[in-house]
Amino acid sequence: MPDVVVVGAGPNGLAAAAVMARAGLSVEVFEAAASIGGGTRTTELMQPGHFHDVCSAVHPMALASPFFRAFELARRVEMVTPEISYGSPLDGGRAALAYRSLDRTAAELGRDGAAYRRLMAPLVRNVDGIMDFTQNQLFRIPRNPAAAGIFGLRTMEQGTGAWNARFREEYAPALLTGVAAHAISRQPSLAGAGAGLMLGALGHAQGWPIPLGGSVSIAAALAEDFKAHGGAIHTNAPIDRLADLPPAKATLLNVSPRGLVAMAGQSLPDGYRRALESFRYGNGSCKVDFILSGPVPWQAPELADAGTVHVGGTRRELAHSENEVNAGRHPERPYVLVAQPSRFDAGRAPEGRHTVWTYCHVPAGSTKDMTEAITAQLERYAPGFRDLIVQTNAVTAAGLAEYNRNYIGGDFSVGTMDLRGLVQRPVVSRAPWRTPLHGVYLCSSSTPPGPGVTGMPGLHAATHALKDIFGMGVPALGMSASRGK
């Protein structure tokens, strides 16, 4: 009989399992799919030798997440960090570029360069304090109140109608909105601005790394450490009821609130079950992968050196696209998030070929294939793109929901990204990872700090389980640390 069972071998489940195994406990993980990884899978999706990240591709949090820092992920997974973290193309062959160097970024933003520097420099200087603040639940006193205050004031500005007050040109606003739109939310919004400013600060403080070999490298590093400390992983092992699990002292669930309700049934107290049933899921995405016969022919050639490109035009155009989705409509000109992994990792495609990763936001549950709309947007800023297409693979929002039980309606954030959704995740609590069931904890992205490959929901849930059930603290997680007893 194991001490701990974990359901779900995505990055959060694997993080929770690794922490518990490091503490010297016997741990077993149960994964419904044939392979581990969840949102960090990489596969030859269309043709041999062409490797595509099925979900996440670029990892701003991989070097900054408190869990991954403690786990020393950077020593376990080789990564390449592009000099240009992200960019936003504009018509006429122009582009706004976010270099790792804030100084260089400001210098190339024209008349708004100084204003952009004043906005971002305090965030970059205080990025560690901001990470501590944003990577936990909101009902706590920040360890660095000054950093939290700086972040909060700038979020209030960029998350409201005042978001253009600093700027006179199109470049800086497009750059900021492109990264804010990672959060599937209305623009402007506090949730979108907070996510964008945090990710933007990381882009200047350390860059946005790309794992060599694909995102699966992150899952593999977690699984390797877990197994080295006695853990066992069972794939092709869906768990539909808690009763299907072997008896254990602690159960950690990398599932959505809807999944917990289905698994626990009537054993949940009525009030808690109603809260989970009222949990709101966000809009979805349509993901389109491309095999190209050459690199993306950006009209602004500097974009070839950007790991991530936010395609959609000006701040006004980007906001219109996202607000169309928020209103339940498919935008004619969608915001398209583009990653160019083979530009930085030659092993992703044969010589002369390139893999390109894209998605756009769509209403929840959408069955519409957005390949043509995405292609048209790329053709707009990279004339000749269409002629380079060798093959495409599209997964609609409904398809994403089939791929992963947690992605309700195609929502890979596993919960609405707005102010209420940040506070009620999945319930309003100082310890939302705990459930009313003794020894049962949630560790999915439906718990704080929310979406992203951070491992933090897993760490938080494991921290509470270790304290509550085993009377233990969090063990050392670094490569040279020995197994706890």
Side-chain angles (χ1 to χ4, degrees):
M1 185 176 72
D3 296 312
V4 181
V5 291
V6 178
V7 175
N12 290 321
L14 289 173
V19 172
M20 301 303 272
R22 281 283 187 138
L25 302 170
S26 58
V27 186
E28 295 187 23
V29 174
F30 296 84
E31 167 58 44
S35 61
I36 66 168
T40 53
R41 289 193 180 104
T42 305
T43 185
E44 293 174 294
L45 191 62
M46 290 177 270
Q47 297 184 18
H50 299 74
F51 294 90
H52 304 264
D53 289 318
V54 178
C55 292
S56 59
V58 181
H59 294 274
M61 309 295 290
L63 302 179
S65 154
F67 169 76
F68 281 137
R69 283 190 173 185
F71 187 69
E72 297 182 327
L73 183 68
R75 293 181 60 191
R76 303 170 188 261
V77 175
E78 187 175 359
M79 302 189 191
V80 59
T81 305
E83 184 60 31
I84 300 175
S85 297
Y86 52 92
S88 291
L90 297 166
D91 289 326
R94 301 171 297 148
L97 306 171
Y99 294 90
R100 279 196 281 171
S101 166
L102 178 59
D103 289 341
R104 183 174 180 183
T105 302
E108 294 191 11
L109 284 177
R111 291 194 299 165
D112 286 332
Y116 181 84
R117 186 201 305 273
R118 286 192 295 271
L119 175 70
M120 297 300 296
L123 301 177
V124 175
R125 286 196 301 269
N126 290 279
V127 70
D128 289 340
I130 291 168
M131 288 301 299
D132 177 74
F133 175 63
T134 58
Q135 295 303 294
N136 211 309
Q137 55 91 22
L138 297 180
F139 295 105
R140 60 191 283 267
I141 299 174
R143 294 179 185 173
N144 187 333
I150 290 168
F151 178 73
L153 289 172
R154 281 159 173 73
T155 298
M156 288 291 292
E157 173 197 312
Q158 288 299 305
T160 65
W163 67 343
N164 282 322
R166 288 179 185 262
F167 304 116
R168 295 172 290 175
E169 296 186 323
E170 293 179 334
Y171 294 97
L175 199 63
L176 291 163
T177 309
V179 70
H182 279 239
I184 309 176
S185 63
R186 179 178 52 82
Q187 296 292 332
S189 68
L190 295 177
L197 290 172
M198 178 192 69
L199 293 172
L202 290 174
H204 296 306
Q206 58 168 43
W208 286 11
I210 298 170
L212 294 183
S215 295
V216 70
S217 301
I218 296 175
L222 288 165
E224 181 181 0
D225 187 86
F226 171 60
K227 292 177 180 179
H229 290 83
I233 299 176
H234 308 281
T235 54
N236 290 311
I239 302 297
D240 297 317
R241 302 177 304 158
L242 291 180
D244 296 337
L245 290 165
K249 296 176 182 177
T251 300
L252 286 79
L253 304 174
N254 185 11
V255 304
S256 70
R258 186 176 297 181
L260 174 56
V261 170
M263 294 169 70
Q266 297 303 309
S267 61
L268 291 172
D270 289 344
Y272 185 79
R273 188 180 67 252
R274 285 195 296 270
L276 296 187
E277 289 171 343
S278 68
F279 183 76
R280 299 171 306 132
Y281 298 91
N283 285 309
S285 296
C286 178
K287 185 172 183 293
V288 180
D289 289 284
F290 294 86
I291 295 175
L292 302 183
S293 60
V296 179
W298 298 108
Q299 193 173 11
E302 302 89 348
L303 290 171
D305 294 324
T308 301
V309 183
H310 303 126
V311 173
T314 64
R315 166 169 272 182
R316 178 175 294 182
E317 290 176 289
L318 292 167
H320 175 73
S321 169
E322 292 301 276
N323 292 339
E324 284 285 280
V325 175
N326 195 58
R329 296 186 288 268
H330 292 82
E332 182 179 348
R333 287 186 163 187
Y335 160 79
V336 182
L337 205 155
V338 179
Q340 308 180 104
S342 60
R343 167 68 179 80
F344 305 93
D345 180 1
R348 302 289 188 96
E351 185 175 358
R353 293 285 186 89
H354 282 271
T355 56
V356 174
W357 173 105
T358 77
Y359 72 79
C360 70
H361 298 149
V362 293
S366 168
T367 59
K368 184 172 182 177
D369 181 343
M370 296 291 284
T371 300
E372 176 53 35
I374 288 174
T375 300
Q377 283 288 68
L378 282 160
E379 182 73 21
R380 173 184 172 189
Y381 297 105
F385 174 83
R386 191 184 297 273
D387 298 332
L388 298 176
I389 297 173
V390 175
Q391 192 170 349
T392 65
N393 184 81
V395 183
T396 66
L400 285 175
E402 293 178 7
Y403 163 76
N404 190 316
R405 299 183 185 195
N406 287 354
Y407 298 167
I408 309 297
D411 172 19
F412 53 67
S413 295
V414 200
T416 300
M417 290 298 293
D418 59 13
L419 191 58
R420 176 185 163 190
L422 294 176
V423 173
Q424 182 188 347
R425 203 162 189 96
V427 295
V428 179
S429 170
R430 290 179 60 84
W433 309 275
R434 290 190 182 112
T435 79
L437 302 179
H438 179 71
V440 178
Y441 300 80
L442 269 179
C443 63
S444 71
S445 294
S446 295
T447 66
V453 180
T454 67
M456 289 302 294
L459 174 62
H460 287 308
T463 299
H464 286 286
L466 286 171
K467 178 183 177 181
D468 298 344
I469 307 302
F470 302 100
M472 302 169 66
V474 176
L477 302 175
M479 293 184 67
S480 60
S482 60
R483 185 182 182 192
K485 298 296 182 183

